[in-house]
């Protein structure tokens, strides 16, 4: 199993979610994060004091999927999250040793 | 959100209406006259309001103007209350309803309107609106920079308070009116264009309209239209201007697909509370005296707000199964809007009907907006345009000379003509506000552009227009 | 939180007390009479308050009622201030103290009370409370729909302002009283049951009690009980009703195990600030005139609030090592509660003692609650029940005819009987409010159910009752 | 942030200035007298303000003091408004500007000042400030515990309202002044030291200064310095005290490296709105009557606030490319500060210049602070010190007897001497406030320590001083 | 070493924390997240506009533990976080290459 | 590739960010978290009710880097985030299977 973790633009969340549901993903977890990459931040000024804000608001989405589904999921995300402008974000694919569904106690792929 | 549910609300409301009307006639008959009987003291007979007394009602012997400390205290207090309606009231009522990234821009727009008009009114606005009449259309420039507007009363407008007190009370009205429009174009207007638009709108739309309705010599006032505290001048004008804005600006990016729920509803409810409290200054202060008429206006203001909030919540309960806090706040404001023109002319039981009508009609208007598809972001038109129109017409239904002998009777009190007069005033205001606003917007759009870029809109106006963040 | 620390607070407070008392007698003697000397102008001798003048104090020659603009301005202003206490004041004072998921429901409850009573009072509430007396127990139905309540003064209640001004001022009291109760059942009541409960409680508890204490003919008023601005009617009744609610509802899910800390204390402190400011209208407005008595009430109101906030903070400092913002806010409110019945009868130095007593006693009450184990979520009883009881009794200790010649002397001014009278009034209010509330709750529970389901409570009332979220 | 941009602002402002001045002389000439002409009714000729009438202006025949209901209503209303400036106004204006971890401490400081002074003023503060004069320097102890301060007017200070009304109005000034200082040492002061500092400062700095400027016999009053509503007593004293605090405390940890942006700007803007609204009580209430002078003060107050907010925003726009919400709020407050001493002596057009000057000068002061490197956290000095100084001097420029015959003419109206008198008063206040504050701070620092530990500062004062969290 | 990551109902946090401390876990990191799985979301309505909120507030807890402790930790969480109703959440077990304690510079299992 | 995840004191974020940029890191993702470790929490009291707050506010920073850069990154963080007092936090090093840059579709180390 793998965890696919993506950092995307916040207003793309609903589109990505819908695209993933369509290909059979049954759960996901979303975190509000701030990111820093090629995309420049911006300045803020308060009574003459300027701050450079390098971090841009982003959304992190984590989906645990069986190995077989990985390519399809990655490709789906890459399509749904793309605007073609800087700051579109990244997809990270990471190993997942085991999963347990707390309600039923199921483990492994059944628990996804 | 089926159409059939909408019908249910409409039917329900007609039903409730009918139910209330039956006993109503009886109750109305009992309504105690709150305003002065003919034999009352001279001071109180002075038409309490710059507004729109039927010409014949002007009493013959006016006492020489002298400042009354009680009246002055009430008008100063009212002026402070009406400023509190805009800053911070309306600012946070609107500010809580937008998304987090636009919170400051929305709040700032109201704040800046108070600043711009605060100077504009003193320099030329008051003179255009209330200065010596020119052709029943506009005030002259005689009072530029408040020249001649001093500490002595001006008996034309308020015989017992300093002229400047009347001026500053009216200033607060001139402030809130353009501020109300900002709800329509929230979350997408360039700040520089906003400043220019407000100055133009105040000078070209508000000042003339205030003159027509309230100034000695204004044509709507001469017509005999009743507008105690600004149903046409304030609410129809701003609401209809809002409609024009919504149409010219088009929708916000992501409208209909992204979630655009209010970012901070407690802020909105506080704002609604301040609007409610401040509205006592708005309506009861419009008596420009501290007397029975002011008291009556105070009472019906509260009653209409309460009834309208309840009506909106009931409509929601029927239509989508739950009453909401935003609904209660919106309903109260709708009721306050609707009672505004009527507040010096109707009794407490009438004010319940006016409130119920406002709650239901504005709710329907707001729901319909989603069907019709224009993006009046914070419902400037849905609440102020629709509520103001209902209120101005309802004044023609429910007005009673038993309440204010300087007013007129409405349709339900045997004078159908008044309803016709009100309809003319409504129509005139609609046309003037809509066409005028449309033209101003087009001119500003062509010269400097109205709308922020897509990137700026997505990043939020706080960041793109002000380099600030509301929270951190 | 050892018991010994609690003792320390108690001892400390007794000590402070004693310390203050010693010089006090001297200072009291010096207290300048703020109220009218016998020879003052007729207008001012009119018993300034509907409230509870010792019967003998009624002055012989009453001038024919005439509206005074200054008095009217002050009462209208006060009415606006008292509405601001509930909406937005109390709404956010309470709203900030609950968990995020219940913020809107809590705020909305106060808002809806203002709407419900805003209509109820006009239709039947005022008539029940202040209408022509029936058997010293209730007002008649003669004033239904404000029939006969118009612009002329009603000399029984306020000889110098329009009768409707008195009515609308009292309306704001009728609004805040049930709103105070909502603190007791916060975070767990069904919204539909809430609406029914409020209407029943206002009609069956508040209206009669207001009649007993304030209306011409009411039995407590006849008894000679002093209650200038509502210690019994407003605070004991709502606080004790809150106790009944806490007992009937039981604890919130997770009480004692989950963290239930306030979600937004700045909101709560703003609310406390608005309560403080609005309370000037509440107490000084209860003079129903703009005179020396109103001024005196204004001064003692501020002083008691300040002293009580300091006392609460000192108690916290001693008892758990740190003064808190919530403590300061709570203490100020406790002081305002306690000075309410006394505000027209005591001088500034007395008001310091009343405030200190309120701060310490209410702090102890709130800490004890955690021992006793009932879940009065926002301390409606701990602050209004306890503070109101203390204030009503303290009026019997500190009242002085040097302050208000239409009042009475208290125990410390040589008249122990007054303390007894106050105790009777307190007891009567306690019993009536507790039993009445209990019965109403049981009836509502059996017919429609009082409490949300566990799932609804866990999801939060904003979501489950209103389909809304406070923040997004 | 190059120096050259700063010059651009300075040049721009001079230019705007010049531009405005040219036509100004013409406009001024037209300014209608708002205050009473010599022949007006006796009551109005009574110097409306405890403040600083040129000695010669005292009118000969004073009517016997009698309470006027309208004047009393306005002063009570004003007192409530001025309390609202501090609690909740200033509390959240400041509270929104600090970091989340210090929000409650900042809010609480303002709240606690209201409590401390609420008791201090009644017990000894009022007597020191306004009690019978001793050597032109301080009031006697005759009025301790408000002994002798009752319901009858004191003709020295306000002939038409109860003496206690004047006292409580002044109390609110005594509250807000030390509260303003808290902006300078925000986010780093020990709470216990804070309590001690406030009591000392109020007693040793504020009370004497108020005596000098406002009390009968005070040396600055005798000098003929004009200060209608507290430019020296309130704003210079608190602002300069703030400067002393900033220097003694040193910088906050992480100043210049960590981000210290405001955590909740909507809160700050609401606070600014409440300050604006409340300031009508502050300035127009300082007429201690409800008359033409109060009205005039009301009008110029609003105008100056509006003009200053616009000026600040324009300066920002030029200097860093964007106007901000915090800038608008700060500018409005700067304008309100500057108009304070002038509000009873200048006309509306003059108030525009005063406002523009305040907006630009305070903006420059705030930007310069970053250069000079002291950490006046919330700009108590930058706004109140600089704005108050500008306002006091500007009074010497723009004052006109056409506006207030009991005042004096300023430099621009042919009386350069007045500017000199104002400069002396400014200098005196500066020196007294700076030296006095410095000494008090040193004493407190040596006895109990002023500043929290580094760990406490990093954890935040809410946690370390109060065991609380603002939000959860 | 492993990182055990769980998504649980927010009101279960204290119970889970106490249970983990009891079996010797010495540190953990908590993040507020929004989740989406079998559990239905809810509707929100604002002035007649309805939004479907699919994401439900959850809490993510991460605990780094030596390999030996993994079964016990998983079992403890599964017990403490369980209510038996939908939305109880999931436990993810993932590899951890190395740990450094910043204060002391210790690495590996000592650093846990 | 590896993901280096650190839990640090919030006021150290800017210092760590600058240090990482200096050694060539081109992107990172930041999350606000609450942590629990050796560092004691504190008490809060509301109207006489006391709560023990075990969790202290922390910041989690994630950086994906090529394997070669790992030691340098770890060492840099350890230096920049250190105050020497309790609660300085931890650095976790974890495997990363693959990365995709959404905007360009690049994968693997190029995508970092
Ligand atoms: N090396 C990295 N490690 C962790 N997160 C990263 C890394 N690079 C980018 N990110 C995350 O991805 C987001 C988008 O990255 P960015 O470089 O701006 O996108 P792009 O290169 O596609 O324009 C960043 O805001 C950050 O949160
Ligand atoms: N495949 C997944 N990938 C990531 N997170 C998941 C996944 N499935 C579930 N979750 C997380 O677990 C939470 C609970 O899942 P849910 O399916 O509702 O629980 P259950 O199946 O036990 O009723 C979700 O809210 C989500 O945050
Ligand atoms: N075993 C662990 N699993 C997950 N996170 C941990 C673990 N130990 C510590 N942390 C995180 O690291 C932070 C700092 O840990 P702490 O033990 O207080 O630091 P130190 O031991 O360096 O003083 C904690 O607040 C927590 O967020």
């Amino acid at each position: 199993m793998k965890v696919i973790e993506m950092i995307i633009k916040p207003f793309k969340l609903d589109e990505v979610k819908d695209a993933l549901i369509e290909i059979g993903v049954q759960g996901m977890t979303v975190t509000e994060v701030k990111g820093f990459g090629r995309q420049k931040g911006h300045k803020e000024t308060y009574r003459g004091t300027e701050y450079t804000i390098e971090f841009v608001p982003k959304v992190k989405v984590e989906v645990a999927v069986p190995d077989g589904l990985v390519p399809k999921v990655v490709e789906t995300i890459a399509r749904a999250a793309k605007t073609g402008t800087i700051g579109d974000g990244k997809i990270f694919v990471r190993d997942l040793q085991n999963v347990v569904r707390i309600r039923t106690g199921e483990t492994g792929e059944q628990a996804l | 959100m089926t159409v059939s549910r909408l019908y249910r609300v409409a039917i329900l409301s007609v039903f409730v209406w009918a139910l209330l009307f039956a006993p109503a006639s009886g109750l109305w008959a009992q309504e105690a006259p709150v305003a002065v009987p003919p034999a009352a003291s001279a001071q109180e007979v002075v038409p309490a309001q710059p507004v729109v007394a039927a010409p014949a009602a002007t009493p013959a012997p006016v006492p020489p103007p002298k400042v009354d400390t009680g009246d002055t205290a009430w008008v100063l207090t009212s002026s402070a209350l009406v400023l509190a309606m805009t800053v911070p009231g309306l600012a946070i009522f609107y500010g809580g309803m937008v998304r987090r990234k636009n919170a400051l821009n929305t709040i700032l727009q109201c704040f800046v309107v108070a600043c711009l008009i605060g100077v504009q009114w003193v320099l030329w606005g008051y003179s255009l609106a209330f200065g010596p009449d020119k052709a029943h259309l506009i005030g002259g420039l005689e009072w530029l920079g408040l020249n001649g507007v001093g500490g002595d009363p001006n008996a034309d407008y308020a015989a017992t308070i300093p002229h400047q007190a009347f001026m500053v009370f009216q200033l607060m009205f001139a402030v809130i009116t353009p501020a109300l429009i900002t709800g329509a174009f929230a979350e997408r207007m360039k700040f520089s264009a906003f400043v220019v638009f407000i100055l133009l709108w105040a000078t070209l739309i508000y000042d003339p309209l205030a003159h027509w309705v309230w100034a000695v010599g204004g044509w709507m006032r001469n017509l005999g239209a009743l507008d105690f505290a600004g149903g046409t001048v304030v609410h129809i004008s701003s609401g209809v201007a809002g409609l024009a804005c919504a149409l010219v600006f088009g929708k916000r990016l992501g409208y209909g697909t992204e979630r655009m729920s209010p970012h901070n509803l407690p802020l909105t409810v506080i704002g609604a509370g301040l609007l409610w409290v401040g509205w006592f200054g708005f309506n009861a202060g419009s008596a420009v005296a501290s007397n029975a008429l002011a008291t009556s206006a105070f009472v019906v203001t509260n009653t209409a707000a309460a009834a309208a909030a309840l009506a909106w919540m009931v409509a929601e309960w029927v239509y989508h199964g739950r009453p909401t806090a935003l609904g209660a706040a919106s309903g109260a404001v709708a009721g306050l809007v609707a009672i505004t023109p009527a507040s010096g002319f109707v009794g407490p039981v009438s004010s319940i009907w006016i409130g119920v009508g406002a709650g239901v009609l504005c709710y329907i208007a707001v729901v319909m907006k989603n069907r019709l598809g224009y993006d009046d972001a914070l419902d400037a038109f849905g609440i102020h345009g629709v509520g103001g129109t209902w209120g101005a017409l309802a004044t023609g239904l429910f007005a009673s000379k038993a309440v204010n002998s300087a007013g007129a009777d409405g349709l339900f009190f045997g004078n159908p003509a008044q309803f016709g007069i009100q309809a003319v005033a409504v129509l005139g205001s609609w046309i003037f506000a809509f066409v005028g606003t449309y033209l101003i917007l087009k001119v500003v759009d062509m010269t400097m552009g109205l709308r922020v870029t897509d990137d700026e809109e997505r990043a939020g106006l706080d960041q793109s227009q002000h380099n600030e963040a509301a929270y951190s």
Side-chain angles (χ1 to χ4, degrees), chain A, chain B:
Chain A
M1 292 168 292
K2 294 272 185 291
V3 170
I4 299 177
E5 193 180 304
M6 68 210 93
I7 316 285
I8 58 173
K9 292 182 169 167
F11 73 91
K12 278 291 190 183
L13 175 60
D14 278 333
E15 230 168 294
V16 169
K17 184 202 66 194
D18 292 341
L20 286 175
I21 289 176
E22 213 159 280
I23 61 165
V25 169
Q26 301 208 349
M28 66 191 73
T29 302
V30 174
T31 316
E32 288 180 14
V33 300
K34 295 179 298 183
F36 170 82
R38 302 276 152 87
Q39 190 183 15
K40 287 183 301 291
H42 61 277
K43 279 189 197 282
E44 292 180 7
T45 313
Y46 299 97
R47 279 192 178 162
T49 308
E50 289 195 6
Y51 298 100
T52 310
I53 309 301
E54 272 113 354
F55 293 104
V56 179
K58 299 275 170 187
V59 155
K60 184 209 273 186
V61 184
E62 285 162 295
V63 214
V65 293
D67 290 310
L69 215 57
V70 172
K72 201 163 170 198
V73 166
V74 169
E75 180 254 318
T76 304
I77 297 167
R79 193 171 23 77
K82 184 166 180 168
T83 68
T85 57
I86 231 168
D88 271 355
K90 298 209 170 140
I91 307 172
F92 300 104
V93 181
R94 293 158 76 174
D95 259 345
L96 175 59
Q97 258 58 38
N98 198 3
V99 193
V100 183
R101 163 172 287 132
I102 294 173
R103 176 166 49 93
T104 58
E106 292 157 288
T107 58
E109 301 214 347
Q110 283 136 285
L112 285 178
Chain B
M1 247 167 51
T2 57
V3 177
S4 71
R5 295 190 98 187
L6 201 63
Y7 287 137
R8 268 187 9 229
V9 180
I11 290 166
L12 179 92
S13 59
V14 170
F15 181 73
V16 169
W17 210 257
L19 208 76
L20 290 170
F21 261 70
S25 40
L27 278 171
W28 289 340
Q30 299 166 6
E31 248 166 40
V34 288
V36 283
S41 73
Q43 176 194 318
E44 283 174 322
V45 175
V46 174
Q49 166 65 357
V51 181
V52 208
T58 315
V62 179
K66 183 183 158 334
V67 170
D68 177 276
T69 58
D71 291 344
T72 303
W74 176 239
V75 173
L76 292 184
T77 303
S78 294
S79 304
L81 285 171
V82 182
L83 180 63
M85 288 174 68
T86 308
V87 179
L90 187 68
I92 59 174
F93 180 70
Y94 278 173
M97 265 190 265
V98 298
R99 285 165 292 172
R100 190 170 294 258
K101 63 184 176 183
N102 298 316
L104 278 181
N105 175 262
T106 304
I107 290 173
L108 184 57
Q109 285 187 342
C110 285
F111 198 95
V112 167
V113 169
C115 300
L116 290 172
I117 306 301
V119 173
Q120 183 262 7
W121 191 251
V122 163
L123 289 182
W124 70 85
Y126 182 64
S127 194
L128 289 183
F130 289 92
D133 179 71
K134 312 287 166 197
H136 310 299
L137 287 176
I138 192 78
L141 300 179
E142 288 88 341
W143 295 352
L144 277 197
L146 299 189
N147 183 25
V149 178
D152 290 330
N154 178 321
D156 281 346
Y157 295 123
T160 60
I161 61 172
H163 190 182
Q164 280 199 355
F166 177 74
M167 181 283 298
V168 84
F169 181 64
Q170 286 297 333
L171 160 60
M172 301 311 176
F173 283 61
V175 162
I176 199 170
T177 307
L180 290 169
I181 309 174
T182 64
F185 52 66
E187 308 200 297
R188 56 204 192 281
M189 190 171 195
K190 255 166 73 173
F191 190 73
S192 53
F194 160 79
V195 169
V196 172
F197 170 74
I198 291 296
L199 282 176
L200 290 176
W201 195 89
T203 305
L204 302 178
I205 310 289
Y206 184 83
D207 295 345
L209 197 59
H211 188 83
W212 299 356
V213 178
W214 285 332
V216 170
W219 69 267
M220 280 193 192
R221 174 176 169 140
N222 285 346
L223 199 69
L226 297 173
D227 184 356
F228 193 71
T232 47
V233 185
V234 175
H235 296 291
I236 291 183
S237 76
S238 62
V240 171
L243 181 61
C245 290
L247 295 175
V248 171
F249 273 87
K251 299 178 191 178
R252 287 165 290 173
L253 288 182
Y255 183 79
T257 60
E258 282 172 45
R259 191 170 171 220
M260 294 188 168
S261 50
H263 89 286
N264 191 333
L265 278 180
L267 218 49
T268 294
V269 182
I270 301 174
L274 292 177
L275 283 169
W276 189 336
V277 171
W279 225 293
F280 293 133
F282 201 92
N283 286 355
S286 286
V288 290
S290 173
N291 56 15
L293 183 58
T295 303
S296 173
F298 194 112
V299 169
V300 297
T301 299
N302 192 69
T303 310
L310 294 176
W312 185 302
M313 278 192 285
V314 168
E316 285 185 318
W317 219 325
V318 171
Y319 181 64
H320 89 263
R322 295 270 191 290
T324 67
L326 181 55
S330 308
V333 174
L336 291 162
V337 167
I339 198 65
T340 295
S343 53
F345 307 110
V346 304
V349 177
S350 298
S351 72
I352 296 182
W353 314 147
I354 294 177
V356 169
V360 173
L361 290 173
C362 293
Y363 176 67
I364 293 175
V366 163
V367 172
M368 288 306 293
K369 175 190 73 170
N370 293 320
R371 303 283 158 81
L372 298 176
Y374 61 92
D375 183 11
D376 177 8
L378 312 179
D379 296 308
F381 174 70
I383 291 186
H384 298 277
V386 173
T389 301
W390 159 242
L393 296 175
T395 306
L397 301 175
F398 295 96
S400 158
K401 286 187 144 185
V403 171
N404 184 347
S405 58
D409 281 329
L411 179 74
F412 294 156
F413 291 82
N415 178 20
Q418 191 59 39
F419 187 80
I421 296 173
Q422 297 298 111
V424 171
V426 165
L427 200 70
S429 314
W430 263 78
I431 294 171
F432 182 59
F434 191 89
V435 175
T437 306
Y438 190 87
L439 292 176
I440 294 174
L441 288 172
K442 283 299 172 192
V443 168
V444 176
D445 198 13
M446 280 170 347
T447 49
M448 60 194 301
L450 284 170
R451 191 161 171 159
V452 296
T453 67
D454 285 7
D455 273 358
E456 289 174 329
E457 190 172 337
R458 269 219 193 84
L461 273 63
D462 292 2
Q463 195 189 102
S464 67
Q465 304 298 297
H466 311 297
N467 277 0
E468 279 179 304
Y471 310 94
S472 80

